[in-house]
């Protein structure tokens, strides 16, 4: 899928600018999803994955020190695709108590894309689509969800169809709920195939999701066994990715120690081997031209009317501070822009 102007600067939402100014006055780092400075390697890799979002399931794992732009990158994508009819972006912090990634993604679909899923089922049914192609022709593990899938596409009543979807996501799970449809009870083991089915249903209706999962390190902080289970479920999803026709999963880790990749390899070497070439590290801004671009973007956003000479002076001041987080650099530049404006005023 051709995506034009990805990573270009986005015009700010006018109603947010005053709040950004208030954030600065209160000592907060402003939320800036309107542009991504530097990060050229990350932008190139992620851009490549997005270009293939309608072909096959893509995944990447982003690591960076705290304050170096992981969350900002996800929010940029959410804003960039906010009016796109085909690509939907959902941005969530990880739930440390739901450390099975498959179940977590099903909950996201249930909470955020229920209507799209239900309408897609109805449209596919009216188009006489080959539903077996959505579930690997019911081969191997998909044989266990054949009866469920056939019921899903045979149901005429919309309320009952909603219940069937909830049986798939796990919102309804009791034996009596399945008995209502004369179905064998699904288990969490079957949810892997259900996730593939639901994602393929959305793809068949030209709806593609970018899942932005932030703060995955919270699971690691909770406990090593939970983190191991999370990585195992991630590996299982990766192994099913060739059967999913589209979508993108971006998972972010804060890497305060610089050992995220190493800890993943230690906990689950099988997963690390699969994901190694899809790990994207976000660096600190270091190039002088990137500092200038950032300062100029902030100058335009906050309408501080600085000349190129003023920008160069501000950059020189900030560079001397030798700050070690991108968020601190942003905050310092904003402060210099504001203070120099007040002096001139």
């Amino acid at each position: 899928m051709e995506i034009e102007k990805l990573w270009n600067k986005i015009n700010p939402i006018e109603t947010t600018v005053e709040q950004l100014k208030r954030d600065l006055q209160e000592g907060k780092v402003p939320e800036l999803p309107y542009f991504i400075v530097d990060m050229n390697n990350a932008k190139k890799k992620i851009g490549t994955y997005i270009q293939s979002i309608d072909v096959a399931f893509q995944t990447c794992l982003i690591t960076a020190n705290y304050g170096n732009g992981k969350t900002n990158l996800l929010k940029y994508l959410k804003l960039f695709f906010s009016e796109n009819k085909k690509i939907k972006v959902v941005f969530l912090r990880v739930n440390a108590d739901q450390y099975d990634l498959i179940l977590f993604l099903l909950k996201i679909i249930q909470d955020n894309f229920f209507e799209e899923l239900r309408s897609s089922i109805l449209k596919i049914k009216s188009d006489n689509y080959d539903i077996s192609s959505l579930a690997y022709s019911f081969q191997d593990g998909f044989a266990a969800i054949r009866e469920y899938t056939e019921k899903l596409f045979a149901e005429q009543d919309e309320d009952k169809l909603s219940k069937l979807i909830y049986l798939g996501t796990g919102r309804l799970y009791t034996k009596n709920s399945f008995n209502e449809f004369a179905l064998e009870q699904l288990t969490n083991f079957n949810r892997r195939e259900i996730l593939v089915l639901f994602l393929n249903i959305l793809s068949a209706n030209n709806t593609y999701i970018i899942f932005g999962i932030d703060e995955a390190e919270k699971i690691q902080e909770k406990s090593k066994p939970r983190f191991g289970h999370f990585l195992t479920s991630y590996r299982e999803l990766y192994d099913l990715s060739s059967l999913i026709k589209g979508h993108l999963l971006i998972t972010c880790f804060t890497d305060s120690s610089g050992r995220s990749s190493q800890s993943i390899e230690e906990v689950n070497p099988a997963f690390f081997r699969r994901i190694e070439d899809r790990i994207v590290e976000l660096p600190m801004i270091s190039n002088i031209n990137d500092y200038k671009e950032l300062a100029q973007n902030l100058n335009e956003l906050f309408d501080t009317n600085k000349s190129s000479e003023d920008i160069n002076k501000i950059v020189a001041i900030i560079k001397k501070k030798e700050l070690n987080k991108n968020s601190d650099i942003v905050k310092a530049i904003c402060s210099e822009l504001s203070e120099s404006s007040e002096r001139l005023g």
Side-chain angles (χ1 to χ4, degrees):
M1 183 183 295
E2 190 65 32
I3 308 295
E4 296 183 356
K5 299 181 180 179
L6 181 63
W7 310 126
N8 283 10
K9 186 166 62 174
I10 302 172
N11 291 329
I13 302 169
E14 291 184 11
T15 55
T16 67
V17 175
E18 288 304 314
Q19 181 59 53
L20 295 178
K21 290 179 179 178
R22 285 194 291 273
D23 287 347
L24 285 170
Q25 290 169 356
E26 295 171 8
K28 302 175 184 176
V29 178
E31 185 176 289
L32 301 168
Y34 308 112
F35 51 82
I36 306 291
V37 174
D38 193 15
M39 301 187 186
N40 294 325
N41 179 55
K43 288 189 285 191
K44 182 179 178 180
K45 262 196 165 184
I46 294 169
T48 300
Y49 299 144
I50 293 174
Q51 300 284 0
S52 300
I53 198 169
D54 58 342
V55 177
F57 184 83
Q58 305 289 329
T59 184
C60 71
L61 196 154
I62 295 177
T63 66
N65 287 336
Y66 177 78
N68 273 5
K70 302 178 306 303
T71 302
N72 192 67
L73 189 148
L74 293 179
K75 289 186 175 180
Y76 171 90
L77 291 174
K78 186 172 179 64
L79 182 60
F80 181 85
F81 288 108
S82 59
E83 297 182 6
N84 191 295
K85 293 181 179 179
K86 291 186 176 182
I87 298 177
K88 312 293 182 181
V89 180
V90 59
F91 163 69
L92 287 169
R93 289 171 295 171
V94 78
N95 181 350
D97 293 320
Q98 179 49 278
Y99 43 88
D100 187 307
L101 181 60
I102 307 287
L103 300 182
F104 188 45
L105 294 182
L106 279 171
K107 182 69 163 58
I108 291 173
I109 292 172
Q110 174 187 288
D111 292 348
N112 296 273
F113 303 103
F114 179 85
E115 290 302 328
E116 288 90 338
L117 181 60
R118 187 169 62 176
S119 63
S120 295
I121 291 168
L122 295 171
K123 185 176 186 305
I124 288 170
K125 185 162 58 174
S126 68
D127 291 344
N128 294 317
Y129 199 93
D130 177 15
I131 63 170
S132 69
S133 67
L134 303 170
Y136 193 44
S137 299
F138 303 117
Q139 298 179 66
D140 303 334
F142 288 86
I145 68 165
R146 179 171 192 151
E147 191 178 2
Y148 168 80
T149 305
E150 290 172 348
K151 292 271 187 180
L152 193 69
F153 283 93
E155 185 55 62
Q156 301 294 326
D157 183 276
E158 285 202 19
D159 288 337
K160 289 185 177 180
L161 177 57
S162 296
K163 285 186 178 181
L164 280 163
I165 292 172
Y166 289 142
L167 289 176
T169 63
R171 179 173 175 176
L172 296 177
Y173 57 88
T174 64
K175 191 171 183 178
N176 285 340
S177 298
F178 284 91
N179 286 343
E180 181 181 345
F181 297 94
L183 283 170
E184 184 179 343
Q185 191 172 11
L186 295 172
T187 67
N188 284 346
F189 183 77
N190 305 126
R191 305 292 174 197
R192 278 88 178 121
E193 288 76 22
I194 294 293
L195 178 62
V196 173
L197 171 66
F198 283 179
L199 289 175
N200 281 338
I201 287 171
L202 291 167
S203 298
N205 200 35
N206 295 314
T207 298
Y208 304 98
I209 304 172
I210 297 176
F211 298 94
I213 310 299
D214 202 8
E215 300 183 9
E217 73 280 356
K218 298 297 184 186
I219 297 175
Q220 187 176 18
E221 292 168 3
K222 195 87 171 182
S223 78
K224 188 173 180 179
R226 288 190 181 201
F227 187 54
H229 186 101
F230 174 76
L231 295 182
T232 296
S233 64
Y234 201 146
R235 188 198 71 207
E236 290 172 345
L237 175 59
Y238 185 89
D239 289 345
L240 290 167
S241 62
S242 63
L243 306 180
I244 303 172
K245 302 175 181 68
H247 310 285
L248 169 62
L249 170 65
I250 301 174
T251 309
C252 294
F253 281 85
T254 297
D255 190 9
S256 57
S257 66
R259 294 185 68 253
S260 276
S261 296
Q262 186 178 341
S263 62
I264 291 170
E265 185 175 16
E266 290 171 354
V267 173
N268 197 318
F271 171 69
F272 181 78
R273 286 195 298 272
R274 289 164 170 79
I275 203 76
E276 185 175 8
D277 64 344
R278 290 176 172 266
I279 296 176
V280 179
E281 296 182 7
L282 302 187
M284 266 196 64
I285 297 170
S286 57
N287 186 285
I288 189 72
N289 289 328
D290 293 327
Y291 269 81
K292 290 179 181 178
E293 180 185 350
L294 175 58
Q296 185 55 48
N297 286 345
L298 292 168
N299 180 41
E300 293 173 7
L301 177 65
F302 291 108
D303 197 24
T304 43
N305 300 313
K306 298 298 176 223
S307 66
S308 295
E309 185 179 351
D310 294 329
I311 294 294
N312 290 339
K313 289 178 181 177
I314 289 171
V315 167
I317 291 170
I318 302 304
K319 284 283 284 181
K320 287 180 181 178
K321 293 179 182 288
E322 297 183 348
L323 301 171
N324 57 14
K325 288 192 295 189
N326 287 343
S327 57
D328 288 343
I329 295 170
V330 169
K331 186 176 177 181
I333 290 175
C334 289
S335 296
E336 286 294 331
L337 287 168
S338 176
E339 288 173 10
S340 60
S341 294
E342 290 173 2
R343 287 195 297 269
L344 289 172

